[in-house]
Each structure stands twice: as structure tokens, then as C-alpha cells.
Amino acid sequence: MAYLKQLLHKLSADITAVPAALQQSHYPALDGLRGLAILLLVFGHFGVNDYTRHYGIFFNSATGVNILFVLSGFLITTLLIKEKLRNGSISLKYFYIRRALRILPVAWLFLLVLAGLNHVFELHIRLFDFIAAMLFFKNMPVQQEPYTAHLWPLAVGVQFYLTFPILLVLNIRWYTIISLAIVIVVPVVCVINHFAPAVFASNAVLHLLARICNYMFWKGPVVILIGSVFSLLMFKGIINPEKLKVNQLLSLAILLVGIIVPAKTFLFYTKYLSEYLSAILIGLALVIAISQKDILSKILSSAILTTLGMLSYSIYIWQELFSGTRNLQPWMQYFTQLPLWATIGFKCIFLAVIVSFSFVFEAWFLKLKDKFHYTRSGADKKAAPKN
């Protein structure tokens, strides 16, 4: 009972300081985690599983997306709270300018190129699909086509940015309560609705609640909020990883389990529960990795993974042009007679060339984005955080 009272007290207490583990302006391990996520996604989309599944290894692209969601929630929450502590307030205007400069240029460049490909190769992509992708509602339950369907996580992210940071600015305490409620209630509703649908089908209100949880919160927002909650718990001193004496391999083991459990080939895979557990384990591994100089932190801070993390957004946007193992895209028809390993190799080469040009374009906007960090006159002017 005493522990519960202490926990509730910490949850309701104001945030007054930045914990030691979050005082850095840049986290190389998180860049590496982003790089690992994009590897999972590209391997899953390019057909590597056709080889690795014989050895019981499966690269789940959905898990790569969930890693990116957890990272996004954790970083956005951390950066906004640090801004509030540094300046006494948060500039939503600058926040939205930074998000726009981060997301829009490469995404809209991709759509512009895709419009040209649509005309040349007669891909039959509807105007509606371009509009849905450009305005970020590809996550809505509408008919999808393969060339822009991968933009649904961007839609989830943008919709999250347009809502939850506003609540964070207005009242951190209420943001904490609502985030925890969603993170706890939505998975419970989804699990019950999946295994015992009659519980919600018998009542119109409960049925509506189940549909809202499934379609509005489960695929994306809950996972982003799990990352956000981990950040909040660190700021409130409920999670204090610096004081933990953990094994050097612990966070690596936690992350590996987090990657394995949501795979549908996993022996104990359970819909909703596996994805939920995976997101929590990813968040826990993330927190330990940035707080301890352990094996996972060193792996994620390696040059290869951090470079991939830096390029991850461009890689994610453009990889869809080569996604799939059956070479359905018109520009991939010339490779149908090649063995799969050769096709994967060509896909990686083509993607690398495109990304190298895309990142030059992206980098210009990233430099511009770094100019929009709000610092109130008289506040402690520390290095602007990178996100």
C-alpha cells in the first residue's frame, strides 16, 4: 500500500528537473535503434524472409514500424518537456514548423515522382490516393493500393502530433493520466473483443467503444503513447535506470524478445497481447540502452546502424518502389528471371542510389529545421536538441 501511495504521488507530482539519462541533446543509440528498425522493415519487404525462414528467422516489417512509433513517442515527449523546463513554456508554433520540415519535403517529393511514374507506366493510382497520402489520412479504413499504402504510419504520426502535444502543452498531469488510461484500457478492450466478441456485441455503446479502440487507437497511437509514457515515467522518477545494476546483456535480451514475440511464426504468438508486450519491451530496452553503457548501447551506437538511422526516413519513403518478392512493379519486370538473392541485391543498389540523392534534398530542410528551436530570453541556452 505504501508503494502504491508513493507511485500515485510521483505520478501526480510536477516535473521540475531533467533526469541525468535525458540530459543529452543527442542519443546515438536511438539513431542506431532507428537504423535497426529500418533494416527489419526493408528485409521484410525485399524478400529476405524467403531465405531466413528456413532457419526459423523472420524479419517482421510491422515490428520495425512499431520500433519507430515507440521512438517517436519517447523523443517527442522528452524534447517537449525539456523545452518546457528550459523555457517555462512550449512553442507549439516552432514544434509544428519542425515537424513539417522533417516530414513534408521528402514525402511530397516521393508523391511527385510517383505521379510521374503513374503517368509513364499507367499504374492506375487514383487521385484520391494521392490526396489521402498528401493530407495524411492513409490510415483510414479506405481501399488501399500498393504504392502509397506504406504512408499510413506517417498519417498516424501526423495525427498524433496534431492532438497529443497540445494536451501536453496545456497540462502535463492530464496528459499523463490520459496517456496511461489509453495505454492500459485500449489493449484490454482489444484483447477482450478479439477473444470474447460477444461481450461488446451485446451492447451498442460497448460495441462502439470496441470499434473506436480497434480503429482509432490500436494501430499506431497506443504504441506511440507507450514510448511517451516511458519518457514521462523517467521524468517523474518512477523509472530510474541509472540506479539499476543490470547485466550488460539485459537490454539486448529484452530487445530481442521484443522483436521475436510479435512475429506470427512465434510459437506463443497471441494477437494484440504479443504486439502490446513487444512495444513495452522495446521501450524498456530503449530506456536501459540510453542510460547504461551496455552491449546494446554499443551495438546501436555503431557507425553502420547510426548511419542507417540518419537515412531511415528517406529509406522508408522510397523502399516501397521495390517492395515485394514477385516484382510486380513495371520497372522490376526485367529482373523476374534472376534468382531472388540477385534481385534483392539490385533492389538495395537502386534504393541506395535514390536515397543518396533524397538525403541531400532532405538535409537542406533538416538544417533549416534546426533554426526553429524556441528559447525564451533569459532562459538557460543549452544546445538545441535534435529530433
Side-chain angles (χ1 to χ4, degrees):
M1 184 63 73
Y3 173 78
L4 182 59
K5 286 183 178 180
Q6 185 181 21
L7 177 63
L8 292 174
H9 173 72
K10 286 184 176 181
L11 281 173
S12 61
D14 292 332
I15 296 172
T16 58
V18 180
L22 298 178
Q23 289 180 0
Q24 295 172 248
S25 61
H26 182 234
Y27 307 90
L30 299 191
D31 285 339
L33 187 57
R34 194 180 285 113
L36 176 63
I38 209 66
L39 276 180
L40 285 173
L41 189 140
V42 170
F43 285 174
H45 282 183
F46 278 20
V48 175
N49 287 326
D50 281 24
Y51 290 109
T52 59
R53 65 163 49 100
H54 302 298
Y55 305 98
I57 300 172
F58 182 81
F59 295 99
N60 189 348
S61 57
T63 303
V65 172
N66 280 345
I67 291 174
L68 296 175
F69 278 152
V70 173
L71 269 170
S72 179
F74 182 85
L75 279 171
I76 292 299
T77 305
T78 299
L79 293 171
L80 289 178
I81 294 177
K82 287 170 75 171
E83 181 178 320
K84 183 174 179 63
L85 292 175
R86 184 174 63 248
N87 301 322
S89 61
I90 298 169
S91 172
L92 279 175
K93 181 180 76 173
Y94 278 13
F95 170 74
Y96 286 125
I97 290 173
R98 292 195 304 270
R99 289 295 86 199
L101 290 171
R102 181 73 179 93
I103 295 169
L104 299 183
V106 176
W108 285 359
L109 176 63
F110 169 79
L111 292 174
L112 182 63
V113 172
L114 187 62
L117 294 173
N118 189 42
H119 176 73
V120 172
F121 292 101
E122 298 182 354
L123 302 178
H124 305 294
I125 304 174
R126 301 172 301 168
L127 177 61
F128 174 82
D129 292 302
F130 281 105
I131 294 173
M134 184 175 292
L135 299 182
F136 301 103
F137 58 90
K138 289 295 289 185
N139 59 323
M140 299 300 176
V142 295
Q143 184 181 356
Q144 300 283 2
E145 48 72 41
Y147 295 99
T148 60
H150 72 301
L151 297 179
W152 73 264
L154 285 188
V156 171
V158 168
Q159 290 159 23
F160 177 86
Y161 300 145
L162 290 174
T163 51
F164 282 88
I166 296 174
L167 179 58
L168 181 64
V169 169
L170 293 175
N171 193 304
I172 292 180
R173 187 177 300 174
W174 274 107
Y175 178 86
T176 303
I177 293 170
I178 292 172
S179 297
L180 281 169
I182 292 173
V183 163
I184 294 169
V185 173
V186 170
V188 170
V189 171
C190 290
V191 168
I192 295 174
N193 189 52
H194 178 68
F195 290 100
V199 172
F200 293 96
S202 59
N203 183 282
V205 174
L206 290 177
H207 181 65
L208 178 62
L209 173 65
R211 289 181 66 84
I212 289 173
C213 289
N214 270 286
Y215 294 111
M216 290 183 63
F217 288 102
W218 175 254
K219 197 173 182 181
V222 166
V223 183
I224 296 174
L225 283 172
I226 286 173
S228 182
V229 165
F230 269 104
S231 174
L232 288 165
L233 295 181
M234 289 185 72
F235 273 102
K236 288 179 175 290
I238 295 171
I239 295 179
N240 198 347
E242 300 98 330
K243 294 184 179 180
L244 294 176
K245 293 183 179 180
V246 297
N247 187 285
Q248 284 281 304
L249 292 171
L250 178 63
S251 63
L252 178 60
I254 290 172
L255 180 61
L256 288 175
V257 174
I259 291 172
I260 291 169
V261 294
K264 293 180 181 178
T265 53
F266 179 56
L267 180 62
F268 302 106
Y269 172 79
T270 305
K271 190 173 182 179
Y272 294 115
L273 282 175
S274 292
E275 288 84 1
Y276 185 55
L277 176 61
S278 171
I280 292 173
L281 291 174
I282 290 165
L284 184 58
L286 178 161
V287 166
I288 297 174
I290 64 171
S291 307
Q292 309 275 341
K293 299 297 181 182
D294 60 3
I295 300 297
L296 178 61
S297 178
K298 293 174 183 176
I299 292 172
L300 294 178
S301 298
S302 64
I304 293 176
L305 286 179
T306 53
T307 301
L308 285 172
M310 181 178 64
L311 299 171
S312 60
Y313 184 57
S314 282
I315 293 173
Y316 181 80
I317 293 296
W318 296 99
Q319 55 82 32
E320 194 72 7
L321 294 179
F322 310 102
S323 183
T325 59
R326 291 182 291 170
N327 301 327
L328 297 178
Q329 302 92 337
W331 47 88
M332 293 302 297
Q333 294 302 309
Y334 304 103
F335 301 92
T336 53
Q337 302 304 316
L338 293 177
L340 180 59
W341 64 266
T343 304
I344 294 172
F346 277 113
K347 287 180 177 182
C348 290
I349 292 171
F350 295 151
L351 180 60
V353 171
I354 293 173
V355 167
S356 64
F357 286 102
S358 174
F359 188 72
V360 172
F361 176 77
E362 180 184 353
W364 190 86
F365 291 95
L366 293 179
K367 289 180 182 178
L368 182 61
K369 174 180 75 72
D370 288 337
K371 295 180 180 180
F372 293 94
H373 286 282
Y374 170 64
T375 302
R376 175 173 288 181
S377 177
D380 182 17
K381 293 186 179 181
K382 296 181 180 179
K386 296 182 182 296
N387 61 310

